[in-house]
Amino acid sequence: MAERIALIGGTGKEGKGLAFRWAQAGYDVVIGSRQVEKAQIAADELNQLLGNIKNPVTGLQNLQAADWCDIAVLTVPFAAHQAILTELKDCLNGKILIDVTVPLVPPKVTKVQFPPAGSAALEARDILGEGIQVVSAFQNISYERLMDEGDIECDVLVTGTSKDARKIVLALVEKAGMVGWDAGPIENSVVAEGMTSVLIGLNSQYGIHNAGIKITGINRE
Amino acid sequence: MAERIALIGGTGKEGKGLAFRWAQAGYDVVIGSRQVEKAQIAADELNQLLGNIKNPVTGLQNLQAADWCDIAVLTVPFAAHQAILTELKDCLNGKILIDVTVPLVPPKVTKVQFPPAGSAALEARDILGEGIQVVSAFQNISYERLMDEGDIECDVLVTGTSKDARKIVLALVEKAGMVGWDAGPIENSVVAEGMTSVLIGLNSQYGIHNAGIKITGINRE
C-alpha cells in the first residue's frame, strides 16, 4: 500500500473515476493536468464526493505529478498519447506506467484501428524504452459506474512488459473493486484495446451504455 | 435453412464439433479433408454419435466440399491457411467463408502474433478478394464441449466484411446452441483471434481447459 498514484491527464471521467476508487481505498492519489488549476478543480470535486478520507486527492501539473508518483496512469485521448509520453519519459524512469489509452480514430470508433507500433500500449513501450514497465489495463470499463460506487460488471484484462508489474497492477484493480486477470505480455494489449471498439459498437446496436466482458470457466473466488 | 455447410479441413476437433452441432440442427453438412478417406471416417464417426438424423454427414475432398457448399467453414492450423485459401478461391466465388483460424505461432501460443495482413481473417479477405464474403467467428470456443451437447459457457464474437454476412453467421451460431454478437467489421477480427492467446494463458495459469468470455450489460433474451 505504499504506492503513490498519479492520473496523468486525469481530469476526464476515466481519470477521475479511477482516482475516486483508489483514494477511497486509501492510496495517495494525485490528478495531473496540463494546467494545474484544472487539476485542482478536479481534485476538489473528488474530495467533496469522498468526504473525510485520510489522504485527500491533490492536483498537480502533469510533469510534477509524474515526478512525484510511483505509478503513473495515463488517461489521455489517443491524439495526445505520443507527445505526452515523450514529455514524461525522464520523470518515469524506474516506475510503472499504466496505459489506459484506446487508439480510437474518430469518426469510425467502432472499427479497430491500431497505430504502426501495433497498439497504444506497444507505442508507449517503444517510446519509454526498457527503464519503464508498461502495463495496459482498464480499457473496457464503463467509467460512469466508477464514481457511483456501483458494481462494475466488467472484468479488467491486464497485460504488461513484466509479470511483476502485472501483479502490482492486478492488486490495484482489486483495490478499485474490480476483477482483473493476468492476460499476458504487452503484445496482448491489442485484445483489450480492440475490445473497446467492439463494445462501443454493441452499445450503439442495443442503445445501452455499459456493454462489458467477463471471463468465464474460472472460479471467481 | 437452405444452407449447405462444408467444414474445410474439418477432421480436427473444431471442425467435427461444429459439424456435429449443425447436423443435429438439420443442416446439410459435409466434412472436407485433403484425403477423402479421412473425411469419410470423420463423417462416419459423427453419424454414429448423431444417431438417426434427416441428413447424415458426408465426407469429401476439400475442393469438392468447397464447390458443393453455400457456406465454407475453415478450420485448419494457421500454417496451412494461406495455401488452402489460394487453392479454394475459385470454388468459393459468391459464397461466404467463415474463418475459424487463430494465427497461433508455436511455441509462444500465449502471445498474440498476427500475420502481416493484420489477422488471419484479414489475410483471408486479402487472398479471396471482393467476390467472397469473409466472416470471422468461433475462435474462443472450447471444442470439447461441442460434441457432448453441453452448454457452451462462451459467447461468439462475429466480425465480417458485410453486415448481411454477419447476420447469416449469427443465425448459424444460434442454431449451434451458442450466443453470438455482431462485433463489427472484419478489422475487428483481431479481438477474438487475440483473445484465444489470452484464454490459453488463463487456462495454463489456472490448470483448466475452458476459460471463455461473455458479453455483459446486455439483456441476453
Side-chain angles (χ1 to χ4, degrees):
Chain A
M1 280 293 296
E3 294 108 336
R4 297 190 291 190
I5 306 172
L7 284 298
I8 305 298
T11 58
K13 55 188 178 166
E14 293 89 348
K16 281 197 291 191
L18 290 168
F20 178 83
R21 292 277 175 134
W22 284 320
Q24 203 170 42
Y27 287 95
D28 213 351
V29 176
V30 157
I31 296 276
S33 176
R34 214 166 272 281
Q35 299 166 261
V36 67
E37 298 80 14
K38 278 199 176 176
Q40 282 161 348
I41 289 170
D44 289 347
E45 197 186 314
L46 286 173
N47 288 327
Q48 214 143 25
L49 284 168
L50 286 160
N52 243 338
I53 58 163
K54 207 181 84 198
N55 299 310
V57 180
T58 51
L60 290 174
Q61 204 273 338
N62 277 330
L63 259 169
Q64 294 172 292
D67 206 41
W68 164 85
C69 74
D70 304 310
I71 295 177
V73 185
L74 187 59
T75 55
V76 295
F78 182 58
H81 191 248
Q82 241 179 321
I84 199 153
L85 285 167
T86 308
E87 198 184 324
L88 297 182
K89 181 178 173 173
D90 290 340
C91 299
L92 293 176
N93 202 34
K95 302 179 178 181
I96 291 174
L97 176 90
I98 305 179
D99 199 346
V100 181
T101 311
V102 179
L104 297 177
V105 186
K108 286 236 165 195
V109 295
T110 57
K111 180 170 130 183
V112 176
Q113 297 175 80
F114 290 124
S119 76
L122 287 167
E123 184 177 272
R125 181 199 61 181
D126 291 352
I127 293 170
L128 297 178
E130 291 196 352
I132 299 160
Q133 300 285 348
V134 177
V135 176
S136 166
F138 301 112
Q139 288 85 357
N140 305 142
I141 301 303
S142 179
Y143 287 96
E144 281 74 11
R145 306 303 311 275
L146 289 173
M147 300 242 276
D148 70 10
E149 301 177 56
D151 270 358
I152 306 289
E153 287 284 309
C154 183
D155 289 355
V156 179
L157 299 179
V158 176
T159 59
T161 49
S162 80
K163 199 173 175 62
D164 285 347
R166 297 198 293 270
K167 219 168 168 180
I168 290 168
V169 175
L170 282 165
L172 289 179
V173 172
E174 197 186 334
K175 288 286 186 183
M178 291 174 261
V179 175
W181 302 98
D182 184 340
I186 194 72
E187 286 80 2
N188 295 4
S189 58
V190 290
V191 177
E193 291 186 17
M195 184 65 83
T196 302
S197 287
V198 170
L199 296 175
I200 293 171
L202 290 173
N203 280 340
S204 137
Q205 280 172 58
Y206 289 88
I208 56 170
H209 299 282
N210 57 343
I213 57 156
K214 274 200 175 177
I215 295 294
T216 62
I218 304 177
N219 190 337
R220 298 176 77 83
E221 294 316 303
Chain B
M1 280 290 299
E3 294 108 336
R4 297 191 290 190
I5 306 173
L7 285 299
I8 305 297
T11 58
K13 55 187 177 167
E14 295 89 347
K16 282 197 289 190
L18 290 168
F20 178 82
R21 291 276 173 135
W22 284 320
Q24 202 170 43
Y27 287 95
D28 213 352
V29 176
V30 156
I31 298 275
S33 176
R34 215 167 271 282
Q35 298 165 262
V36 67
E37 297 78 17
K38 278 199 176 176
Q40 282 163 347
I41 290 169
D44 289 347
E45 196 187 314
L46 286 173
N47 288 327
Q48 213 143 25
L49 284 168
L50 286 160
N52 241 338
I53 57 163
K54 208 181 81 198
N55 299 310
V57 179
T58 51
L60 290 175
Q61 203 274 338
N62 278 330
L63 258 169
Q64 293 172 292
D67 206 41
W68 164 86
C69 75
D70 304 311
I71 295 179
V73 184
L74 188 58
T75 56
V76 294
F78 183 59
H81 191 247
Q82 242 179 320
I84 199 152
L85 284 166
T86 309
E87 197 183 326
L88 297 183
K89 182 178 173 174
D90 290 338
C91 301
L92 293 175
N93 202 34
K95 302 178 179 182
I96 291 175
L97 176 90
I98 305 179
D99 199 347
V100 181
T101 311
V102 180
L104 298 177
V105 187
K108 286 235 166 197
V109 294
T110 57
K111 179 170 131 183
V112 176
Q113 298 176 79
F114 290 125
S119 75
L122 287 166
E123 184 177 272
R125 181 199 62 181
D126 291 353
I127 292 170
L128 297 178
E130 290 196 352
I132 299 160
Q133 301 285 347
V134 177
V135 176
S136 165
F138 301 112
Q139 288 84 358
N140 305 143
I141 301 303
S142 180
Y143 287 95
E144 280 74 10
R145 306 302 310 275
L146 289 174
M147 300 242 277
D148 70 10
E149 300 176 56
D151 270 359
I152 306 289
E153 287 284 309
C154 182
D155 289 355
V156 178
L157 299 179
V158 177
T159 59
T161 49
S162 80
K163 199 173 174 60
D164 285 345
R166 297 198 294 271
K167 219 168 168 182
I168 289 167
V169 175
L170 282 165
L172 289 179
V173 173
E174 197 186 334
K175 288 287 186 181
M178 292 175 258
V179 175
W181 303 97
D182 183 341
I186 194 73
E187 286 81 1
N188 296 3
S189 57
V190 290
V191 177
E193 290 186 17
M195 184 64 83
T196 303
S197 287
V198 170
L199 296 175
I200 294 171
L202 289 173
N203 280 340
S204 138
Q205 280 173 58
Y206 290 88
I208 56 170
H209 298 282
N210 56 342
I213 57 156
K214 273 200 176 180
I215 295 294
T216 62
I218 304 176
N219 190 337
R220 299 177 77 84
E221 294 315 305

